[in-house]
Amino acid sequence: MTALLTLTVLVLVAIAIWQMTKIFELSQTKTEDAEIANDSDNKINGYLLFTFLVFIYGITIFSFVKYSKMLLPEAASAHGGEYDQLMWVSFAIIFFVQTITQALLHYFGYKYRGQKGRKALFYADNDRLEFIWTIIPVVVLAGLILWGLYTWTNIMDINEDDDPIVIELYAQQFNWTARYAGDDNVLGDANVRLINIDKANVLGIDEADPNGEDDVIVKELHLPVGRKVNFKMRSQDVLHSAYMPHFRAQMNCVPGMITQFSFTPTVTTADMRMNPDVVEKVKRTNAVRAERAAEGKPNTDPWEFDYVLLCNKICGKSHYNMQMKIVVETEEEYNAWMAEQSTFKQSMTPAE
């Protein structure tokens, strides 16, 4: 009801402003045709151009100052620094070009505004200008593209040379399941046609494949710091996207095929919780939650930072809630956690 009343008031205010504008126009007694801009109109529009230029510069600076706190903290993966460097260089080029082009655009709009008795000079073409504003963007964009391809090639370093941990990320509406390759570090064959809910084989692992016997299926992802991880990704139903923002990692999960991504975590969960940016974010978030709790609203429990795996494709009505907790810990802590997990063979063995 409140929203309806607010909308009604806004509509009435808009109508009132429109009517006042029409009255103002009718009250003007100028003899000149109001449909034709005169020197005074052009001068006012020129000043308005400069006003808008100040506005867009101001809103840009304000946005950086006000919302830079929303940016992610330092990357928690070996390749993340190179990824962030490419992004910030791209930002710097974009804002540098924007600053210059917007200033020239608005300045020329004022300087060469229409004036009575002055006729615009027409240029059919200018080869030098055409060359300058064509070759500079080509060179800059080509440099960014080549740098991006080089960075992507380095990031997509999926091989077995570094003794990586092999983990499958299995996506389905609307949750994630992780499968570790076990002691042999080889995942057993799997297919959605082999899913057997009655036997709790929710990933469709081939029970006849010995490589799958020691696979470990979990709902919380644990990674040892400093150890490379090769992720193999599958989707049961629709297109999903495995997105781990703090590790600067993302890869689509496509039904009917296996996609891959690899990275090495470099910061444990405990250490990241001590990061000043993360500490400040947790403080701000919990302050908001405390206000909501005082008003009796839900979802007000204090929040603690955790790495998270998200779905970055709109995959259905509960897409927003498709996430999995990621814990980065020491090798010793990781080994202790793995020792507590049951293998696929154990889960398939009937209890006596």
Side-chain angles (χ1 to χ4, degrees):
M1 188 63 181
T2 302
L4 178 61
L5 290 174
T6 302
L7 181 61
T8 303
V9 170
L10 291 175
V11 171
L12 291 175
V13 168
I15 293 174
I17 293 174
W18 177 67
Q19 291 291 348
M20 291 174 64
T21 302
K22 299 302 291 183
I23 293 173
F24 176 77
E25 290 178 355
L26 291 173
S27 67
Q28 303 303 302
T29 58
K30 292 182 179 180
T31 56
E32 297 182 30
D33 189 345
E35 298 298 325
I36 300 176
N38 54 34
D39 287 354
S40 176
D41 295 331
N42 290 331
K43 190 173 184 179
I44 291 173
N45 285 332
Y47 286 137
L48 289 176
L49 278 175
F50 276 117
T51 302
F52 185 71
L53 178 64
V54 172
F55 168 76
I56 61 176
Y57 284 167
I59 197 67
T60 301
I61 296 172
F62 170 80
S63 297
F64 268 101
V65 174
K66 177 72 173 177
Y67 299 109
S68 60
K69 62 185 179 183
M70 303 299 179
L71 296 174
L72 291 168
E74 64 173 310
S77 62
H79 73 267
E82 190 174 5
Y83 176 98
D84 287 350
Q85 184 182 22
L86 176 59
M87 181 188 72
W88 285 115
V89 169
S90 300
F91 273 168
I93 292 174
I94 290 170
F95 283 111
F96 175 75
V97 173
Q98 183 224 22
T99 300
I100 293 177
T101 55
Q102 290 296 327
L104 291 174
L105 175 67
H106 290 77
Y107 170 72
F108 286 140
Y110 170 76
K111 182 176 181 180
Y112 298 109
R113 66 190 182 277
Q115 289 183 342
K116 189 173 182 179
R118 185 168 71 176
K119 185 177 181 181
L121 180 62
F122 174 72
Y123 278 94
D125 58 72
N126 188 310
D127 293 339
R128 179 177 296 178
L129 284 177
E130 292 284 353
F131 178 80
I132 291 174
W133 66 48
T134 300
I135 198 64
I136 291 178
V138 167
V139 171
V140 173
L141 290 176
L144 285 176
I145 291 171
L146 291 174
W147 187 12
L149 289 174
Y150 175 77
T151 303
W152 179 249
T153 301
N154 287 340
I155 290 174
M156 294 300 291
D157 179 27
I158 302 172
N159 59 68
E160 307 294 333
D161 299 337
D162 303 320
D163 187 30
I165 299 173
V166 178
I167 302 175
E168 177 185 76
L169 294 179
Y170 187 79
Q172 63 184 125
Q173 295 174 311
F174 297 96
N175 66 81
W176 294 98
T177 304
R179 177 165 63 114
Y180 290 76
D183 294 334
D184 61 3
N185 210 28
V186 178
L187 290 167
D189 291 337
N191 192 296
V192 292
R193 295 181 178 84
L194 299 177
I195 292 175
N196 190 331
I197 301 299
D198 294 335
K199 298 181 68 175
N201 187 0
V202 295
L203 301 187
I205 301 174
D206 187 352
E207 298 180 43
D209 184 0
N211 290 326
E213 293 181 356
D214 62 347
D215 290 358
V216 174
I217 302 171
V218 296
K219 284 294 187 179
E220 183 175 282
L221 192 58
H222 284 241
L223 306 175
V225 67
R227 181 85 179 272
K228 183 178 178 180
V229 184
N230 283 355
F231 289 100
K232 299 180 183 296
M233 307 173 191
R234 288 193 297 144
S235 172
Q236 177 175 304
D237 34 52
V238 299
L239 185 66
H240 299 277
S241 188
Y243 177 44
M244 293 168 272
H246 300 95
F247 304 103
R248 312 302 193 259
Q250 178 172 318
M251 181 59 65
N252 286 347
C253 306
V254 184
M257 67 181 295
I258 296 175
T259 54
Q260 301 183 78
F261 197 90
S262 175
F263 68 82
T264 301
T266 57
V267 184
T268 65
T269 299
D271 288 341
M272 185 59 80
R273 286 174 178 171
M274 301 300 293
N275 181 288
D277 292 333
V278 173
V279 171
E280 184 61 29
K281 181 176 182 178
V282 171
K283 182 179 178 181
R284 293 196 310 268
T285 302
N286 286 333
V288 173
R289 291 194 170 203
E291 293 177 0
R292 290 174 57 87
E295 298 172 359
K297 296 180 180 179
N299 302 321
T300 57
D301 295 334
W303 175 66
E304 185 177 42
F305 171 84
D306 277 309
Y307 294 122
V308 64
L309 164 65
L310 304 169
C311 176
N312 209 23
K313 286 287 187 293
I314 301 178
C315 57
K317 62 181 181 180
S318 295
H319 153 77
Y320 70 95
N321 201 37
M322 187 172 170
Q323 54 186 282
M324 175 190 282
K325 178 181 176 181
I326 303 175
V327 178
V328 179
E329 54 200 357
T330 64
E331 187 85 27
E332 294 75 16
E333 291 171 329
Y334 169 77
N335 291 334
W337 176 80
M338 281 296 296
E340 298 173 354
Q341 309 307 312
S342 300
T343 64
F344 175 68
K345 182 178 180 180
Q346 291 171 337
S347 66
M348 291 292 102
T349 302
E352 296 181 358

